[in-house]
Amino acid sequence: MSNYELLRKHYAKVIKQIKFNTPIAKIEVDDAESKVQIEDAQGNIYEGAGIICTVPLPILKKNLIKFSPQLSKARQEAIQTLDTAPCFKLFLRFRKPVWPEGA
């Protein structure tokens, strides 16, 4: 069984809830009700106890996502101060596993 198949089997219950390449417009956190609500650029709304959302730094720097409550001043300053350099992804495929079985 490939690593992808293992992941797919493990996350089968939630895989349909995962959204890829979905621009986010708004993230609202309601601590009183322990929930998070996000709205994508098409107006679709998703709710849950938590979210995992990856956002490229340039998008954060342009303030294209509305946060409620607003991000702290320290986080806003960190976003504006941080910089990224051009990079690339490298994928390696080995004929035999290089890690121990079950790792």
Side-chain angles (χ1 to χ4, degrees):
M1 184 177 294
S2 74
N3 289 340
Y4 177 74
E5 288 168 338
L6 285 171
L7 281 173
R8 203 168 134 229
K9 182 180 177 183
H10 184 73
Y11 291 107
K13 294 177 184 174
V14 296
I15 197 78
K16 292 178 182 177
Q17 296 174 340
I18 297 174
K19 305 294 180 196
F20 295 98
N21 301 316
T22 305
I24 301 301
K26 187 184 343 180
I27 299 175
E28 291 185 32
V29 178
D30 186 341
D31 288 327
E33 294 189 31
S34 299
K35 73 175 184 178
V36 178
Q37 185 179 69
I38 61 174
E39 181 178 336
D40 68 19
Q42 286 74 42
N44 298 308
I45 295 176
Y46 307 93
E47 258 184 38
I51 62 166
I52 297 173
C53 182
T54 59
V55 180
L57 186 58
I59 300 298
L60 290 173
K61 284 185 172 229
K62 292 178 184 175
N63 294 315
L64 296 177
I65 299 174
K66 180 184 177 196
F67 290 90
S68 177
Q70 286 188 337
L71 294 177
S72 68
K73 289 284 185 197
R75 286 193 173 122
Q76 291 178 38
E77 289 173 8
I79 289 168
Q80 295 308 319
T81 303
L82 290 172
D83 202 9
T84 58
C87 63
F88 66 94
K89 292 181 182 179
L90 175 66
F91 296 93
L92 300 174
R93 185 173 184 175
F94 298 93
R95 293 178 196 265
K96 297 179 183 176
V98 295
W99 51 88
E101 179 93 16

